[in-house]
Amino acid sequence: MGKAGYISAEMKRIFKNRYVLLSVCIGILVPLVYAMIMLSPKWGPYDNTDNLPVAVVNNDQGAISDGERINIGEILIASLKENKLLGWDFVSSEEAKNGMDNMKYYMTIEVPEDFSEKALTVLDDEPIKPELKYTQNEGLHFMAAQVTNKAVETLKTQLSAQITATYVENVVSQLKEVANGFTEAADGAKQINDGTGQLKDGSEQILDSLNEKSSDIGRLVDGAKQVEDGNRIMKESLVSKQGDITRLANGAQELNIGTGTLLSNLQNKSSDIARLADGAKQVSDGTSQLVGVLNEKSSDINRLSNGASQLADGASELQSGATELLEGARQAKDGSAQLKDGLNKKILPGSEQLAAGVQQAQVGVNETIESMQNLQVALEQLPNSVDGLKDNVLYKMIMGQLNENLKTVPQKQKDFQRLVNGANELRDGLKNDFTSGVTTLDNGLGQLVEGQQQLQNGASKLADGSKEVAIGNKTVAVGWKELQTNVAKLHDGTKQVKDGNAAVESGWNDLTAGATQLHDGSSQIRDGNKTVESGWQELSAGATKLYDGASQVSEGNQTVKKGWVTLTDGVSQVDGGLGQLSDGSEELYEGLEGGAKRTSSIDPEEENIAMFAEPVVLDGEVINSFPFYRDSNAPYILTLALYVGVLIMSFAVQYRKPVTLPPSATAWFTGKIAKLSMLATIQALMISLYTLFVLKLDVQSSISFVLFSIMVSLTFLMIVLFLVGLAGNIGRFLALAFVVLQLSTTGSALPVDMLPEELRNLSIFLPFTYSINSYRNIITLGNTSNMWENISILLIYFALFAVLSFLVFMFKYRSLRERADFNKEEISESIS
């Protein structure tokens, strides 16, 4: 089935079932019946106000004016009997009270006993306004209360006119007494004229005195201006320097904080400096001991070298003669024994002590170097915590000397390592090679004694050994001297380190003492600058007060000067005014005398008194008036009827269910829109045509009225279709709530401009607002531009809810399609 076939099926569904057709017809007729009931009556709310019962009680006792009795209450009752504005009921106070208690009267109006008496006090010293009392029962009906309020205002106006007329009569009756007063006033004006001449003479004397002192006032003003300028310059100078004084105080504070930090850092590092000095002293003492040991053993090394030389000579001599061999062997045997004994007791322990001492000295030197390196790191980081230390001369000198000493450290470490290696080699050579040689020599000499046959071999070995011993001893002697030289240099370096560290410690102590004095001095500077700042502020405040006082004096003198000039001008004017007063008093005398004559001749007519009582008559016109009261409610009634008709139609016509499974969501939506739009259009045509031709409602344009009704009906259809299509009965409830929301917020009962602000803001977003405004322009106002503006907004509502409705149909169609596919699968499975 295509889209056209589905639309045709939707149309035919209405006519297939007579109950559906009957429901549709009733739904279409509901808005028409509503319009017939609400728009048919032609009476208005003010057409039958004379049926509202209002009690009138007259308790006025009247009053006497110039011998004539006046009763304003009776005049009011007479005028009300001729007035059909309300249903007046003239009763007593008791009857009025009973009627109000029994809810018979909407209002009671009472004229008090002293009403006329108070009305005649208008010319008394303490006039009393008369009061017209009324009691209103607003609870019977709000609109009746508004009508009675208007009636009370009308009565007030009438009574005011009547009282004014009474006032005029009283005033006119007293004008004769006024004429006598004019005569007396004329005599007084004559006396004023005489006194004015005397005042004129006195004012001339005052004017001369003021002119004479004018120059002194000018000099006083100039002097005060100079004082003000001087004080202003002093104030500006003090205020301009306030920032410098504050910066000086802040700088002193920062200086004090910096010196405190420097002092704290110096005091914290004093113990490290002392330990550095002690370590350097220990290094120097250790190298001194090492030098002493080396010098002490120098003679033994020399004897060892000399003995080796002698041994070589003896070996030569041994080879030179066999005769002396035995004797030489014995001597050699003794010499070797002594050599072995000296080696074991002196040379070997001395070499071991030398190696151990050199190693200990190396450890001390390394510790000294490490301490110097740590000192270098600490001194390099010290400027980070002590401001200005990096540029200090003493600090630079200490760092320079320390860096120079540390530069030679690697070379000195290498030299000292060679010294250590030489001492170890000396110890090992003496302990191993030399000891074995001496033992061999001793054994050879023994064998030499034992046998002549081995003499030549022993002599050769002895000669070779003695040569090696001589060479070794010479090497030992040379190494020992180098060791002495290097250790002496090491001792000199450690002594310089000791002396330098002692100087650093002494300089550090001096630096700490100087930093302490610097911190104390900065504290005094800080305190002094605070005192200066406080005093400067007080001085600036005093200068400001002095300047303000001088300004006030200057301004006061300027005021005095202006006042003096004004006073002079005023006296001049007074002098001239007195002249005019003299002339005017004479004219006043003449005028009062003539006024007395004219006042006595006044005799007003009744028309004149009426003019006084009610001098203004309203002359106005009403444009765009309503022929009948129903015309004012027609925009609201037509809007509500069309919306309710579309909502009721949703109960008779299916807004959600399709006739059959539609081929697409678009076909389903188009079919529903075609059917529902036809019904909504029929509703709009029936209401608008009935209103035009049966009720004969007078409109600006009949075609615009019919077309706009169709458009409003279609717009409301889209709103209701979206809500019902989305949520079913809940959507109908929301549609009904949407109507209730708009009943009092869209200009029906009250104009939108008279609503509270929050309701005015809400009415902008409600479609009834624009429907009612457009109907009002089409029926009464004829404002085309305003009408098209409202129509444009309604078109936006139409398009918006049409799109939303289409989206709802697309969503529902997808769900409908899934259920249909599922049912087909179940059927196919059951068949199989």
Side-chain angles (χ1 to χ4, degrees), residues 112-145:
E113 297 178 356
D114 56 354
F115 192 87
S116 298
E117 183 178 352
K118 290 182 178 179
L120 296 179
T121 63
V122 64
L123 298 178
D124 293 352
D125 294 336
E126 296 181 358
I128 303 174
K129 291 183 178 181
E131 296 178 353
L132 181 66
K133 297 182 179 181
Y134 72 95
T135 304
Q136 184 183 62
N137 192 349
E138 186 174 340
L140 286 176
H141 199 281
F142 179 76
M143 284 302 297

Side-chain angles (χ1 to χ4, degrees), residues 16 39 62 154 242 253 266 308 370 378 398 435 452 461 476-477 495 504 568 576 673 718 794 804:
K16 282 184 179 180
L39 294 179
T154 303
Q242 181 63 49
Q253 177 71 18
L266 290 176
E370 185 178 0
I398 292 172
T435 301
Q452 290 287 336
K461 291 179 181 179
V476 169
K495 185 178 180 182
V504 168
T568 303
I673 290 296
M718 292 302 169
L794 287 175
L804 292 175

